[in-house]
Amino acid sequence: SLDDQLDGSTGETKFDKNGVAHLDGWRPPNPENRGQFRKINGPNGTSLLFLQCDPGRSAVSWRAGAMLPKGRYRFEGRVRTQPAQAGAGMGAVLRISGARQYQMVQGENDWTPCKYEFEVLEPVADIEAICEVRGAGSAWFDTGSLRVVKVE
């Protein structure tokens, strides 16, 4: 749970000895928007976040918060993508709120690693991690792989 991830004194996200923090508490920001948001079980008992962006929508997303101290980080995970029939240019992305540049996993792909590197300049920042589909199509994000890693 989010309470388990938060250190009671500062509210900062807890990292393990390898500098890894797994994210949970994923939620859609605007579930009333056109699109589908489902938490489903994958074939190996894995937990997946499913997103479908309908034609006419620019993007849909799942979001989770984290409190991070100053430093460099990598938000990473695995995603599988399936464009709609009219989904040319469709892609999935991992990013943080406010990101202007990021790499998309485009077209039809089996499980593909995805990452977004960023830096926190403030002493502590409340960031929002985002799993997003842009353009008409579907994506499955492996929740067990979604994590923030400290970068030295």
Side-chain angles (χ1 to χ4, degrees):
S1 79
L2 190 57
D3 291 337
D4 295 338
Q5 286 185 46
L6 296 178
D7 177 320
S9 60
T10 63
E12 288 180 18
T13 300
K14 287 184 180 175
F15 287 84
D16 67 18
K17 64 182 180 355
N18 298 317
V20 173
H22 288 275
L23 299 176
D24 60 10
W26 292 98
R27 70 206 181 288
N30 310 349
E32 69 279 359
N33 280 355
R34 289 199 313 257
Q36 292 184 39
F37 308 84
R38 290 199 306 267
K39 293 182 180 181
I40 59 176
N41 291 321
N44 302 328
T46 55
S47 177
L48 306 175
L49 299 175
F50 173 77
L51 274 178
Q52 180 177 311
C53 190
D54 298 334
R57 287 273 316 136
S58 60
V60 293
S61 62
W62 285 97
R63 295 170 182 240
M67 291 287 285
L68 302 176
K70 185 175 182 173
R72 294 179 50 76
Y73 298 93
R74 183 175 62 247
F75 172 34
E76 63 184 24
R78 294 183 330 130
V79 62
R80 185 164 68 95
T81 54
Q82 176 67 56
Q85 294 288 13
M90 171 268 176
V93 66
L94 296 182
R95 64 181 183 90
I96 64 165
S97 183
R100 299 282 177 256
Q101 296 182 338
Y102 42 81
Q103 291 183 312
M104 288 204 315
V105 175
Q106 292 190 285
E108 184 173 348
N109 292 282
D110 201 355
W111 292 108
T112 303
C114 192
K115 67 182 179 183
Y116 177 78
E117 294 196 6
F118 63 99
E119 187 169 4
V120 172
L121 300 173
E122 301 87 358
V124 177
D126 185 4
I127 66 113
E128 190 170 47
I130 301 174
C131 297
E132 186 172 60
V133 171
R134 296 186 152 271
S138 302
W140 295 258
F141 296 88
D142 176 0
T143 56
S145 72
L146 296 173
R147 61 194 196 163
V148 174
V149 180
K150 289 182 181 177
V151 178
E152 297 305 323

